[in-house]
Amino acid sequence: MTNTARKNRLKASDAYQLMQRVTIWLDRYYLDAIVGLVPGGFGDAAAALFSLVHVYFSLFRLHSIPLTLAILNNVLRDIFLGLIPFYVGNVIDFFHRANSRNMALIDGFINDDEALIKEINRKAAYAALILIATIMAILLMLALLVKIAQAIGTALFT
């Protein structure tokens, strides 16, 4: 199969079309930030579930672990930023647009953008470390949100 045929097949796939729709709905229509308004981090987690299509495509269709790490970094960074309390995270979510960044990475990878591919491969180890640090930061942020909710509840109801 020629490279052009492979690109056309990938872009015509249902998963690619779904990624484009998810990106449009979450980033262009700001549904990522709106869903992120659901308290307790549940909205941010729900919005992140839609990004799993990007992870699936990069890992199982493009077979690129470095690309998948870069996409996971964007998704987890989006969750982390959305968890910043007092609606600051939601304001940041309006501007972050992780899904658009993920689509740009995937499109660059499909179109054999050598500079992008070299950059992703070069940063793969760094991406893995950032991925671990971001997961830890998200868990700490959730613990902090629970503590804040307990303190507010105790102050209001005792």
Side-chain angles (χ1 to χ4, degrees):
M1 177 179 297
T2 67
N3 197 25
T4 304
R6 180 186 72 82
K7 289 178 191 179
N8 291 337
R9 185 178 47 89
L10 286 170
K11 288 184 177 183
S13 70
D14 290 338
Y16 187 85
Q17 300 301 319
L18 179 61
M19 278 189 311
Q20 286 186 317
R21 286 192 302 274
V22 164
T23 300
I24 289 168
W25 281 97
L26 291 180
D27 286 351
R28 191 179 299 167
Y29 298 130
Y30 302 106
L31 287 183
D32 184 19
I34 292 169
V35 171
L37 291 171
V38 175
F42 294 112
D44 294 306
L49 288 176
F50 289 104
S51 295
L52 289 178
V53 69
H54 296 96
V55 174
Y56 164 80
F57 195 84
S58 66
L59 189 60
F60 296 109
R61 293 288 179 98
L62 297 176
H63 307 288
S64 174
I65 291 174
L67 177 63
T68 304
L69 287 172
I71 288 172
L72 284 171
N73 274 333
N74 284 336
V75 171
L76 290 174
R77 187 178 309 123
D78 190 48
I79 293 171
F80 178 73
L81 292 172
L83 287 175
I84 297 173
F86 308 115
Y87 299 103
V88 172
N90 297 100
V91 172
I92 293 170
D93 248 353
F94 273 98
F95 301 106
H96 186 250
R97 301 200 176 170
N99 296 295
S100 295
R101 293 176 187 201
N102 289 339
M103 266 318 283
L105 289 173
I106 288 171
D107 280 335
F109 202 86
I110 288 173
N111 293 322
D112 296 322
D113 182 348
E114 290 183 24
L116 178 88
I117 293 170
K118 283 181 183 178
E119 185 71 16
I120 289 171
N121 288 334
R122 188 178 63 77
K123 291 185 174 181
Y126 173 73
L129 291 174
I130 294 295
L131 186 69
I132 292 167
T134 306
I135 289 171
M136 290 173 51
I138 288 170
L139 293 175
L140 288 171
M141 185 72 76
L142 286 173
L144 177 65
L145 288 173
V146 168
K147 294 278 189 198
I148 290 171
Q150 286 175 342
I152 291 171
T154 301
L156 290 176
F157 301 113
T158 56

